[in-house]
Amino acid sequence: MTHARRLTLAHLWVAFAAFAIAAVLGVWQMWARSPLPAPYLTAQAYFTSVTAHGVSMAYVLTTFMVMGFGYYVAETTLGRPLPYPRLAWLGFALGILGTLMAAATIFAGNATVLFTFYPPLTASPFFYIGLVLVVVGSWIWCGLMIVAMLDFKRVNPGTPVPLAMFATVANAVMWLWTTVGVAAELLFQVIPAAFGWNEAIDVGLSRTLFSWTLHAIVYFWLIPAYIAFYTMAPQAAGGRLYSDTMGRLTFILFLIYSLPVGMHHLFMDPQQSSAFKFLQMSFTALVAAPTLLTVFTISASMEIAGRLRGGKGYFGWIAALPWDRPMVLATGMAFFMLWFGGGGGLINMSFGMNAMVHNTSWVTAHFHLIFGGTVVIMYFAIAYAIWPTLTGRQPASLRHQRLQLWLWFIGMMVMTLPWHYLGLQGQWRRVATFNYADPVIAGWGPWVIVSFAGGIILLASALLFVWNLLEFHRDRAVVAPEHPPIYALAVHPPNRVPAALNGFALWNVLVLVLMIAAYGYPIAQFFIIDAPEAIVHRVTGGG
Amino acid sequence: MRADTEQDILKTELWWTALVTAVVTAIMLAIIYAGLVHHINPPSNIETVDPKTLHLTGEFTEGNLGTRVDGSQITSRIVATQFAFQPQCIVMPANRTVTLRFATPDVIHGILVTGTNVNTMIIPGYVSQVHTVFTKTGDLLMPCHEFCGLGHSQMWATVRVVPEDEFKPGPDGRVTCDAR
Amino acid sequence: MKPAELREIDRPWRIWASIIIVSILAFSVVFGFLILPIVQGRAAGLDAFTAICRAVGILPGSPAVRQPTSEAKAQPTTQVAWSTDLIRSLGQSTPAGAEVAQACVACHGERGIAADPQNPNLAGQSGVAIYKQLHDYKSGSRVHEVMNGIAQGLDGRQIIDVAAHFAASPRRDLDPTTAEVVDEDIVRLVERGDPARGLPACNSCHGFNAGGPMETPTLSHQNREYLARQLHAFRSDGRRNDIYTRMRSVAAKLTDREIDKLANFYATTLSY
């Protein structure tokens, strides 16, 4: 096995191990919030669990998945060995070390601040340092992806960078931009406070810096799914990618529009002005563009596949698609969930309507559907597609893989549709227990139980997924083809593309301009108005 | 769908891009319309207040909290603290423009009032302000909707919306739940 | 392909991308910074300049509504003003504190552990909590026939020193044999609270790693009689120096039985 493949396997196993643990915690949390009596329930246990669930799902699963998949894409699309594999292993080791540090502080009860921190609540410094180490590990990955692309361009002047790799590097570049905000918050504000060097924190500033990161990080998680949409799904369906240019444009739009929009997480905050909220809202509206372009391009690619397989008429091509292949099935389900989740997102971004749903279960439902649904189901599909090339084996039947995807899809719908409804009723977020003695809240009870049932289905799917992965390592699995085609060709493969669609120099300049416009004054204002600070509240004992 | 030449593909895509642009523009126009005609704004209010001495400020001192009528202005001042609101019940008249002012002496909180569009974060260092009109009478829940520590789940207050003719301020201009 | 040709196909991308981005920026500035606030401000009777300043965040308030005024002069329940310097000095024990502590021996014991269970133990108590109570005794926000006089005899520095001194002292050892079997509902109150009464868990402020209000005292290792008396005082409004009724509002919802059991729980249980 090559270095890159060993790296991929190691990263993905860490990602999915964290995922399985977090799935168990998530179901227990839903139990706690339901009218049914849950075991082990205390306030401390609940918020410890929420912190662990968020950190595992949002930081560990995603970062390791993105890194592992990136190494795979770099090697398989560029046809060259990965540069500096030792550095890649160093990044992996930092990630593991950081994850263990964070996990130890969380489960010791010294980090009940949830994965989004909420200063002036302050956890043990080792919680934050652990997360910083994970990020530093991912920065190494970013560097390696950029170097791999530049090496390829140097050796193959004029040849377009393959789309999957172009998208991976777009993600790496975006991630470097993205992490600036949270890194500044942690290094200059939160970690000094956690160590006791500072007794107070400027909360308005810390929220603004975190918002810098908060939206783009979601696209960091999402891009592997979009890479699969553009390059793996058309191939699995037996077709071709409708347009390579559209793919490149989509990933560039993600890079640009995911960054100057984070303030939509602060729509309901007092410390940012309505004018800058409006500015960032305009760019948030444009984030819909890359997603809608993708919906079109992938549907067109799938139509090509369906017609090649003999589908006729307006909708006949849909029935003709090979739905028995996990990648095709997952793409279909992912798109279905994307319609609901994306529609919900458009409501969140309008600041008038946002007032109705901010910090209600609607938002929880929205990101579980988009991330837990659309994105994670594609993580599954990617794992099923590349695992045979990692172990050289595959199960004789794909039945269990399909079953697992169906369970995930059904569980996610059953869980999140009631949440959307409850959010509109005003059910608020991040609580361990509800007062079901209140007549208003009592009416929510049955819907909370329905969503809990969805959670149980999701847990079953998560465990089946891990079992399915273990199948690839079993002796009874059959030998897999060594070099199966993974990536789709475009209908008209590009032979020359403008530099703008083959690199990121231009886009980095534009991102810089936009970030200065969108975040320059909103950050500077805290230093101009000399904002009052709040005393640190430590959740680590002893003050 | 035609995909015979690159020109075909380009043409279809341009149509689709135009459609996407139209959708995004329509959404933005709706938001601008709401802003121009209904004066919809997010609850921005960059008005600082020091959380370390909030209880000494006068305005947000314990004895001054709750609903007060001052000429034509009806304002309720509420402090969100770990892990309760002070006061825990406020009275509001129906169908009148009212202002809710919030501040916190400790950590981040947030509120919504169920069944209404009243929603704001409460950030230490700032006064949060919401202007609204309550249209339905009755007791509404006002929970803390942002994680503020281990007691977050038990942090809520009541907004008692009463018909306009039952909203009778005392001689000091104040209206409390106890008095009713 | 030659470099010149490459540049040729790249140029329109650069130009159009920049034009589009800048026009979107210009669009949002024109509407968000100018048109919306001016129109909204006009309806609220604000001049255009004020409305724009409010929209951009240079002035407080909404561009669409007049700001309410306040000339409140309510009396605070405590005069303590927090600051980072104060919090920091309360974490530093000095020899001066031990000297001041000599005045406390008669009631609070030689090492801050009171012989009479009516009096609180001070050893191992949070320095911020001790400071706040002494400050309140001094200012009269909290009333006690002996303590008011003693606190008025101390200056600000001495209060800080003695608070830091007791905070750094080792707290009372618990005798595990005195621990009673605790009722399940009391443990629930301590760890989970009671949603039906809106009671947060005692632990959410008083727990070892709670992160609650900074002046929250530690309750474990405290004396049973003292704890019960204070809870009753908070409940009957006899004691009202807690900031924003944090403790009064909780105590008001407790029953006599719960107060006694909770006082007993904290006085005898090791783990909190």
Side-chain angles (χ1 to χ4, degrees), chain A residues 542, chain C residues 111-113 121-126 166-174 206-208 217-222 266 269-272:
Chain C
R111 286 178 295 114
I113 295 161
N121 299 322
L122 300 179
Q125 182 55 274
S126 141
F166 281 120
S169 310
R171 54 187 187 175
R172 174 171 72 103
D173 288 328
L174 284 178
H206 296 283
F208 181 65
T218 307
L219 298 186
S220 61
H221 306 251
Q222 195 47 282
Y266 277 106
T269 309
L270 255 183
S271 51
Y272 292 93

PDB file of all heavy atoms in Angstrom, chain A residues 542, chain C residues 111-113 121-126 166-174 206-208 217-222 266 269-272:
ATOM      1  N   GLY A 542     -12.375  25.517  41.149  1.00  0.00           N
ATOM      2  CA  GLY A 542     -11.451  26.473  41.744  1.00  0.00           C
ATOM      3  C   GLY A 542     -11.618  27.883  41.224  1.00  0.00           C
ATOM      4  O   GLY A 542     -10.638  28.571  40.994  1.00  0.00           O
TER       5      GLY A 542
ATOM      6  N   ARG C 111      -8.484  28.358  62.452  1.00  0.00           N
ATOM      7  CA  ARG C 111      -8.070  28.171  61.063  1.00  0.00           C
ATOM      8  C   ARG C 111      -9.249  28.356  60.097  1.00  0.00           C
ATOM      9  O   ARG C 111      -9.309  27.745  59.042  1.00  0.00           O
ATOM     10  CB  ARG C 111      -7.436  26.794  60.894  1.00  0.00           C
ATOM     11  CG  ARG C 111      -6.023  26.737  61.507  1.00  0.00           C
ATOM     12  CD  ARG C 111      -5.386  25.374  61.397  1.00  0.00           C
ATOM     13  NE  ARG C 111      -6.118  24.388  62.192  1.00  0.00           N
ATOM     14  CZ  ARG C 111      -6.786  23.349  61.669  1.00  0.00           C
ATOM     15  NH1 ARG C 111      -6.801  23.176  60.383  1.00  0.00           N
ATOM     16  NH2 ARG C 111      -7.411  22.515  62.465  1.00  0.00           N
ATOM     17  N   GLY C 112     -10.201  29.167  60.538  1.00  0.00           N
ATOM     18  CA  GLY C 112     -11.331  29.433  59.642  1.00  0.00           C
ATOM     19  C   GLY C 112     -12.402  28.370  59.713  1.00  0.00           C
ATOM     20  O   GLY C 112     -13.284  28.322  58.840  1.00  0.00           O
ATOM     21  N   ILE C 113     -12.327  27.505  60.738  1.00  0.00           N
ATOM     22  CA  ILE C 113     -13.347  26.466  60.880  1.00  0.00           C
ATOM     23  C   ILE C 113     -14.086  26.738  62.190  1.00  0.00           C
ATOM     24  O   ILE C 113     -13.504  26.663  63.273  1.00  0.00           O
ATOM     25  CB  ILE C 113     -12.712  25.063  60.869  1.00  0.00           C
ATOM     26  CG1 ILE C 113     -12.083  24.831  59.489  1.00  0.00           C
ATOM     27  CG2 ILE C 113     -13.753  24.000  61.177  1.00  0.00           C
ATOM     28  CD1 ILE C 113     -11.077  23.743  59.442  1.00  0.00           C
ATOM     29  N   ASN C 121     -18.057  28.321  58.237  1.00  0.00           N
ATOM     30  CA  ASN C 121     -16.628  28.063  58.049  1.00  0.00           C
ATOM     31  C   ASN C 121     -16.137  28.967  56.929  1.00  0.00           C
ATOM     32  O   ASN C 121     -16.830  29.184  55.940  1.00  0.00           O
ATOM     33  CB  ASN C 121     -16.398  26.611  57.634  1.00  0.00           C
ATOM     34  CG  ASN C 121     -16.884  25.651  58.699  1.00  0.00           C
ATOM     35  OD1 ASN C 121     -16.725  25.918  59.894  1.00  0.00           O
ATOM     36  ND2 ASN C 121     -17.479  24.549  58.276  1.00  0.00           N
ATOM     37  N   LEU C 122     -14.930  29.473  57.081  1.00  0.00           N
ATOM     38  CA  LEU C 122     -14.370  30.338  56.039  1.00  0.00           C
ATOM     39  C   LEU C 122     -13.229  29.667  55.286  1.00  0.00           C
ATOM     40  O   LEU C 122     -12.929  30.033  54.152  1.00  0.00           O
ATOM     41  CB  LEU C 122     -13.876  31.657  56.658  1.00  0.00           C
ATOM     42  CG  LEU C 122     -14.951  32.478  57.366  1.00  0.00           C
ATOM     43  CD1 LEU C 122     -14.336  33.739  57.962  1.00  0.00           C
ATOM     44  CD2 LEU C 122     -16.072  32.848  56.406  1.00  0.00           C
ATOM     45  N   ALA C 123     -12.597  28.685  55.919  1.00  0.00           N
ATOM     46  CA  ALA C 123     -11.429  28.059  55.289  1.00  0.00           C
ATOM     47  C   ALA C 123     -11.829  27.369  53.989  1.00  0.00           C
ATOM     48  O   ALA C 123     -12.779  26.583  53.964  1.00  0.00           O
ATOM     49  CB  ALA C 123     -10.820  27.049  56.244  1.00  0.00           C
ATOM     50  N   GLY C 124     -11.120  27.679  52.938  1.00  0.00           N
ATOM     51  CA  GLY C 124     -11.373  27.040  51.650  1.00  0.00           C
ATOM     52  C   GLY C 124     -12.551  27.654  50.898  1.00  0.00           C
ATOM     53  O   GLY C 124     -12.883  27.219  49.804  1.00  0.00           O
ATOM     54  N   GLN C 125     -13.182  28.667  51.482  1.00  0.00           N
ATOM     55  CA  GLN C 125     -14.289  29.345  50.795  1.00  0.00           C
ATOM     56  C   GLN C 125     -13.722  30.188  49.641  1.00  0.00           C
ATOM     57  O   GLN C 125     -12.553  30.585  49.678  1.00  0.00           O
ATOM     58  CB  GLN C 125     -15.038  30.236  51.805  1.00  0.00           C
ATOM     59  CG  GLN C 125     -16.236  30.972  51.265  1.00  0.00           C
ATOM     60  CD  GLN C 125     -17.249  30.037  50.625  1.00  0.00           C
ATOM     61  OE1 GLN C 125     -17.124  29.705  49.450  1.00  0.00           O
ATOM     62  NE2 GLN C 125     -18.221  29.588  51.407  1.00  0.00           N
ATOM     63  N   SER C 126     -14.550  30.425  48.636  1.00  0.00           N
ATOM     64  CA  SER C 126     -14.103  31.252  47.517  1.00  0.00           C
ATOM     65  C   SER C 126     -13.762  32.669  48.006  1.00  0.00           C
ATOM     66  O   SER C 126     -14.530  33.278  48.754  1.00  0.00           O
ATOM     67  CB  SER C 126     -15.226  31.311  46.477  1.00  0.00           C
ATOM     68  OG  SER C 126     -15.323  32.609  45.927  1.00  0.00           O
ATOM     69  N   PHE C 166      -8.335  33.398  53.749  1.00  0.00           N
ATOM     70  CA  PHE C 166      -9.197  32.247  54.048  1.00  0.00           C
ATOM     71  C   PHE C 166      -9.395  31.365  52.820  1.00  0.00           C
ATOM     72  O   PHE C 166      -9.522  30.151  52.932  1.00  0.00           O
ATOM     73  CB  PHE C 166     -10.543  32.725  54.608  1.00  0.00           C
ATOM     74  CG  PHE C 166     -10.469  33.106  56.060  1.00  0.00           C
ATOM     75  CD1 PHE C 166     -10.786  34.387  56.480  1.00  0.00           C
ATOM     76  CD2 PHE C 166     -10.071  32.162  57.002  1.00  0.00           C
ATOM     77  CE1 PHE C 166     -10.714  34.729  57.826  1.00  0.00           C
ATOM     78  CE2 PHE C 166     -10.006  32.504  58.347  1.00  0.00           C
ATOM     79  CZ  PHE C 166     -10.312  33.787  58.764  1.00  0.00           C
ATOM     80  N   ALA C 167      -9.426  31.984  51.650  1.00  0.00           N
ATOM     81  CA  ALA C 167      -9.601  31.181  50.428  1.00  0.00           C
ATOM     82  C   ALA C 167      -8.458  30.193  50.271  1.00  0.00           C
ATOM     83  O   ALA C 167      -8.647  29.083  49.760  1.00  0.00           O
ATOM     84  CB  ALA C 167      -9.677  32.097  49.213  1.00  0.00           C
ATOM     85  N   ALA C 168      -7.270  30.591  50.725  1.00  0.00           N
ATOM     86  CA  ALA C 168      -6.107  29.719  50.548  1.00  0.00           C
ATOM     87  C   ALA C 168      -5.951  28.719  51.697  1.00  0.00           C
ATOM     88  O   ALA C 168      -5.078  27.861  51.642  1.00  0.00           O
ATOM     89  CB  ALA C 168      -4.848  30.576  50.416  1.00  0.00           C
ATOM     90  N   SER C 169      -6.786  28.840  52.748  1.00  0.00           N
ATOM     91  CA  SER C 169      -6.639  27.924  53.887  1.00  0.00           C
ATOM     92  C   SER C 169      -7.293  26.574  53.589  1.00  0.00           C
ATOM     93  O   SER C 169      -8.302  26.522  52.889  1.00  0.00           O
ATOM     94  CB  SER C 169      -7.308  28.522  55.135  1.00  0.00           C
ATOM     95  OG  SER C 169      -6.886  29.838  55.323  1.00  0.00           O
ATOM     96  N   PRO C 170      -6.748  25.487  54.139  1.00  0.00           N
ATOM     97  CA  PRO C 170      -7.331  24.159  53.898  1.00  0.00           C
ATOM     98  C   PRO C 170      -8.696  24.032  54.561  1.00  0.00           C
ATOM     99  O   PRO C 170      -8.876  24.480  55.697  1.00  0.00           O
ATOM    100  CB  PRO C 170      -6.324  23.197  54.521  1.00  0.00           C
ATOM    101  CG  PRO C 170      -5.540  24.012  55.491  1.00  0.00           C
ATOM    102  CD  PRO C 170      -5.538  25.418  54.993  1.00  0.00           C
ATOM    103  N   ARG C 171      -9.658  23.475  53.842  1.00  0.00           N
ATOM    104  CA  ARG C 171     -11.006  23.440  54.398  1.00  0.00           C
ATOM    105  C   ARG C 171     -11.218  22.271  55.349  1.00  0.00           C
ATOM    106  O   ARG C 171     -10.381  21.379  55.451  1.00  0.00           O
ATOM    107  CB  ARG C 171     -12.037  23.447  53.289  1.00  0.00           C
ATOM    108  CG  ARG C 171     -11.873  22.364  52.260  1.00  0.00           C
ATOM    109  CD  ARG C 171     -12.868  22.636  51.154  1.00  0.00           C
ATOM    110  NE  ARG C 171     -12.881  21.547  50.195  1.00  0.00           N
ATOM    111  CZ  ARG C 171     -13.725  21.502  49.185  1.00  0.00           C
ATOM    112  NH1 ARG C 171     -14.596  22.470  49.009  1.00  0.00           N
ATOM    113  NH2 ARG C 171     -13.703  20.496  48.363  1.00  0.00           N
ATOM    114  N   ARG C 172     -12.356  22.331  56.014  1.00  0.00           N
ATOM    115  CA  ARG C 172     -12.678  21.341  57.044  1.00  0.00           C
ATOM    116  C   ARG C 172     -12.710  19.932  56.453  1.00  0.00           C
ATOM    117  O   ARG C 172     -13.282  19.710  55.386  1.00  0.00           O
ATOM    118  CB  ARG C 172     -14.066  21.678  57.613  1.00  0.00           C
ATOM    119  CG  ARG C 172     -14.610  20.660  58.594  1.00  0.00           C
ATOM    120  CD  ARG C 172     -15.865  21.196  59.237  1.00  0.00           C
ATOM    121  NE  ARG C 172     -17.021  21.225  58.349  1.00  0.00           N
ATOM    122  CZ  ARG C 172     -18.031  20.322  58.390  1.00  0.00           C
ATOM    123  NH1 ARG C 172     -18.010  19.350  59.267  1.00  0.00           N
ATOM    124  NH2 ARG C 172     -19.050  20.429  57.567  1.00  0.00           N
ATOM    125  N   ASP C 173     -12.120  18.979  57.200  1.00  0.00           N
ATOM    126  CA  ASP C 173     -12.242  17.581  56.784  1.00  0.00           C
ATOM    127  C   ASP C 173     -13.637  17.106  57.115  1.00  0.00           C
ATOM    128  O   ASP C 173     -14.204  17.477  58.135  1.00  0.00           O
ATOM    129  CB  ASP C 173     -11.227  16.711  57.533  1.00  0.00           C
ATOM    130  CG  ASP C 173      -9.820  16.972  57.035  1.00  0.00           C
ATOM    131  OD1 ASP C 173      -9.677  17.283  55.838  1.00  0.00           O
ATOM    132  OD2 ASP C 173      -8.882  16.887  57.848  1.00  0.00           O
ATOM    133  N   LEU C 174     -14.173  16.276  56.249  1.00  0.00           N
ATOM    134  CA  LEU C 174     -15.494  15.727  56.552  1.00  0.00           C
ATOM    135  C   LEU C 174     -15.297  14.371  57.197  1.00  0.00           C
ATOM    136  O   LEU C 174     -14.406  13.610  56.831  1.00  0.00           O
ATOM    137  CB  LEU C 174     -16.298  15.570  55.269  1.00  0.00           C
ATOM    138  CG  LEU C 174     -16.861  16.854  54.683  1.00  0.00           C
ATOM    139  CD1 LEU C 174     -17.589  16.534  53.403  1.00  0.00           C
ATOM    140  CD2 LEU C 174     -17.799  17.514  55.679  1.00  0.00           C
ATOM    141  N   HIS C 206     -23.226  26.178  42.333  1.00  0.00           N
ATOM    142  CA  HIS C 206     -22.379  25.853  43.475  1.00  0.00           C
ATOM    143  C   HIS C 206     -21.491  24.646  43.221  1.00  0.00           C
ATOM    144  O   HIS C 206     -20.679  24.297  44.069  1.00  0.00           O
ATOM    145  CB  HIS C 206     -23.251  25.608  44.707  1.00  0.00           C
ATOM    146  CG  HIS C 206     -24.013  26.822  45.152  1.00  0.00           C
ATOM    147  ND1 HIS C 206     -23.417  27.847  45.842  1.00  0.00           N
ATOM    148  CD2 HIS C 206     -25.316  27.194  44.980  1.00  0.00           C
ATOM    149  CE1 HIS C 206     -24.325  28.793  46.096  1.00  0.00           C
ATOM    150  NE2 HIS C 206     -25.475  28.419  45.564  1.00  0.00           N
ATOM    151  N   GLY C 207     -21.649  23.968  42.108  1.00  0.00           N
ATOM    152  CA  GLY C 207     -20.826  22.796  41.811  1.00  0.00           C
ATOM    153  C   GLY C 207     -19.371  23.194  41.630  1.00  0.00           C
ATOM    154  O   GLY C 207     -19.051  24.354  41.365  1.00  0.00           O
ATOM    155  N   PHE C 208     -18.511  22.210  41.771  1.00  0.00           N
ATOM    156  CA  PHE C 208     -17.082  22.480  41.747  1.00  0.00           C
ATOM    157  C   PHE C 208     -16.646  23.114  40.430  1.00  0.00           C
ATOM    158  O   PHE C 208     -15.837  24.027  40.403  1.00  0.00           O
ATOM    159  CB  PHE C 208     -16.318  21.179  41.995  1.00  0.00           C
ATOM    160  CG  PHE C 208     -14.834  21.359  42.006  1.00  0.00           C
ATOM    161  CD1 PHE C 208     -14.224  22.125  42.989  1.00  0.00           C
ATOM    162  CD2 PHE C 208     -14.040  20.782  41.025  1.00  0.00           C
ATOM    163  CE1 PHE C 208     -12.855  22.305  43.008  1.00  0.00           C
ATOM    164  CE2 PHE C 208     -12.666  20.969  41.042  1.00  0.00           C
ATOM    165  CZ  PHE C 208     -12.079  21.719  42.023  1.00  0.00           C
ATOM    166  N   PRO C 217     -20.641  31.163  46.580  1.00  0.00           N
ATOM    167  CA  PRO C 217     -19.829  30.467  47.569  1.00  0.00           C
ATOM    168  C   PRO C 217     -19.818  28.960  47.352  1.00  0.00           C
ATOM    169  O   PRO C 217     -20.721  28.402  46.727  1.00  0.00           O
ATOM    170  CB  PRO C 217     -20.537  30.809  48.884  1.00  0.00           C
ATOM    171  CG  PRO C 217     -21.963  30.998  48.484  1.00  0.00           C
ATOM    172  CD  PRO C 217     -21.938  31.577  47.094  1.00  0.00           C
ATOM    173  N   THR C 218     -18.776  28.333  47.875  1.00  0.00           N
ATOM    174  CA  THR C 218     -18.734  26.874  47.946  1.00  0.00           C
ATOM    175  C   THR C 218     -19.626  26.453  49.101  1.00  0.00           C
ATOM    176  O   THR C 218     -19.601  27.081  50.157  1.00  0.00           O
ATOM    177  CB  THR C 218     -17.301  26.422  48.251  1.00  0.00           C
ATOM    178  OG1 THR C 218     -16.455  27.023  47.288  1.00  0.00           O
ATOM    179  CG2 THR C 218     -17.167  24.930  48.186  1.00  0.00           C
ATOM    180  N   LEU C 219     -20.407  25.406  48.930  1.00  0.00           N
ATOM    181  CA  LEU C 219     -21.319  24.994  50.004  1.00  0.00           C
ATOM    182  C   LEU C 219     -20.845  23.742  50.734  1.00  0.00           C
ATOM    183  O   LEU C 219     -21.170  23.554  51.908  1.00  0.00           O
ATOM    184  CB  LEU C 219     -22.723  24.749  49.446  1.00  0.00           C
ATOM    185  CG  LEU C 219     -23.406  25.962  48.826  1.00  0.00           C
ATOM    186  CD1 LEU C 219     -24.826  25.625  48.441  1.00  0.00           C
ATOM    187  CD2 LEU C 219     -23.381  27.147  49.781  1.00  0.00           C
ATOM    188  N   SER C 220     -20.131  22.866  50.044  1.00  0.00           N
ATOM    189  CA  SER C 220     -19.729  21.657  50.742  1.00  0.00           C
ATOM    190  C   SER C 220     -18.753  22.060  51.838  1.00  0.00           C
ATOM    191  O   SER C 220     -18.070  23.087  51.726  1.00  0.00           O
ATOM    192  CB  SER C 220     -19.092  20.665  49.786  1.00  0.00           C
ATOM    193  OG  SER C 220     -17.967  21.226  49.215  1.00  0.00           O
ATOM    194  N   HIS C 221     -18.732  21.304  52.917  1.00  0.00           N
ATOM    195  CA  HIS C 221     -17.890  21.566  54.085  1.00  0.00           C
ATOM    196  C   HIS C 221     -18.422  22.749  54.894  1.00  0.00           C
ATOM    197  O   HIS C 221     -17.758  23.228  55.791  1.00  0.00           O
ATOM    198  CB  HIS C 221     -16.422  21.839  53.706  1.00  0.00           C
ATOM    199  CG  HIS C 221     -15.831  20.767  52.861  1.00  0.00           C
ATOM    200  ND1 HIS C 221     -14.883  19.902  53.345  1.00  0.00           N
ATOM    201  CD2 HIS C 221     -16.066  20.404  51.582  1.00  0.00           C
ATOM    202  CE1 HIS C 221     -14.555  19.057  52.369  1.00  0.00           C
ATOM    203  NE2 HIS C 221     -15.254  19.346  51.304  1.00  0.00           N
ATOM    204  N   GLN C 222     -19.603  23.231  54.567  1.00  0.00           N
ATOM    205  CA  GLN C 222     -20.168  24.335  55.339  1.00  0.00           C
ATOM    206  C   GLN C 222     -20.996  23.758  56.487  1.00  0.00           C
ATOM    207  O   GLN C 222     -21.329  22.573  56.489  1.00  0.00           O
ATOM    208  CB  GLN C 222     -21.027  25.224  54.419  1.00  0.00           C
ATOM    209  CG  GLN C 222     -21.377  26.575  54.976  1.00  0.00           C
ATOM    210  CD  GLN C 222     -20.189  27.289  55.582  1.00  0.00           C
ATOM    211  OE1 GLN C 222     -19.771  26.993  56.707  1.00  0.00           O
ATOM    212  NE2 GLN C 222     -19.606  28.227  54.823  1.00  0.00           N
ATOM    213  N   TYR C 266     -25.162  19.335  51.989  1.00  0.00           N
ATOM    214  CA  TYR C 266     -23.896  20.032  51.745  1.00  0.00           C
ATOM    215  C   TYR C 266     -22.970  19.946  52.940  1.00  0.00           C
ATOM    216  O   TYR C 266     -21.750  19.976  52.795  1.00  0.00           O
ATOM    217  CB  TYR C 266     -24.158  21.485  51.356  1.00  0.00           C
ATOM    218  CG  TYR C 266     -24.486  21.604  49.884  1.00  0.00           C
ATOM    219  CD1 TYR C 266     -25.769  21.853  49.446  1.00  0.00           C
ATOM    220  CD2 TYR C 266     -23.490  21.407  48.933  1.00  0.00           C
ATOM    221  CE1 TYR C 266     -26.066  21.928  48.105  1.00  0.00           C
ATOM    222  CE2 TYR C 266     -23.775  21.480  47.587  1.00  0.00           C
ATOM    223  CZ  TYR C 266     -25.069  21.744  47.173  1.00  0.00           C
ATOM    224  OH  TYR C 266     -25.336  21.809  45.837  1.00  0.00           O
ATOM    225  N   THR C 269     -21.770  15.819  52.766  1.00  0.00           N
ATOM    226  CA  THR C 269     -21.427  15.024  51.590  1.00  0.00           C
ATOM    227  C   THR C 269     -20.110  15.510  50.995  1.00  0.00           C
ATOM    228  O   THR C 269     -19.901  16.698  50.806  1.00  0.00           O
ATOM    229  CB  THR C 269     -22.546  15.115  50.538  1.00  0.00           C
ATOM    230  OG1 THR C 269     -23.768  14.822  51.195  1.00  0.00           O
ATOM    231  CG2 THR C 269     -22.325  14.117  49.442  1.00  0.00           C
ATOM    232  N   LEU C 270     -19.271  14.527  50.699  1.00  0.00           N
ATOM    233  CA  LEU C 270     -17.912  14.846  50.254  1.00  0.00           C
ATOM    234  C   LEU C 270     -17.814  15.341  48.824  1.00  0.00           C
ATOM    235  O   LEU C 270     -16.993  16.178  48.498  1.00  0.00           O
ATOM    236  CB  LEU C 270     -17.072  13.567  50.362  1.00  0.00           C
ATOM    237  CG  LEU C 270     -16.085  13.500  51.514  1.00  0.00           C
ATOM    238  CD1 LEU C 270     -15.296  12.213  51.419  1.00  0.00           C
ATOM    239  CD2 LEU C 270     -15.122  14.683  51.471  1.00  0.00           C
ATOM    240  N   SER C 271     -18.657  14.841  47.973  1.00  0.00           N
ATOM    241  CA  SER C 271     -18.316  14.896  46.554  1.00  0.00           C
ATOM    242  C   SER C 271     -18.687  16.196  45.846  1.00  0.00           C
ATOM    243  O   SER C 271     -18.593  16.253  44.640  1.00  0.00           O
ATOM    244  CB  SER C 271     -18.981  13.721  45.850  1.00  0.00           C
ATOM    245  OG  SER C 271     -20.334  13.691  46.178  1.00  0.00           O
ATOM    246  N   TYR C 272     -19.148  17.226  46.573  1.00  0.00           N
ATOM    247  CA  TYR C 272     -19.517  18.416  45.811  1.00  0.00           C
ATOM    248  C   TYR C 272     -18.711  19.633  46.219  1.00  0.00           C
ATOM    249  O   TYR C 272     -18.691  20.045  47.305  1.00  0.00           O
ATOM    250  CB  TYR C 272     -21.020  18.683  45.948  1.00  0.00           C
ATOM    251  CG  TYR C 272     -21.798  17.614  45.264  1.00  0.00           C
ATOM    252  CD1 TYR C 272     -22.230  16.518  45.973  1.00  0.00           C
ATOM    253  CD2 TYR C 272     -22.026  17.670  43.900  1.00  0.00           C
ATOM    254  CE1 TYR C 272     -22.913  15.503  45.338  1.00  0.00           C
ATOM    255  CE2 TYR C 272     -22.699  16.670  43.258  1.00  0.00           C
ATOM    256  CZ  TYR C 272     -23.150  15.582  43.972  1.00  0.00           C
ATOM    257  OH  TYR C 272     -23.818  14.592  43.325  1.00  0.00           O
TER     258      TYR C 272
END
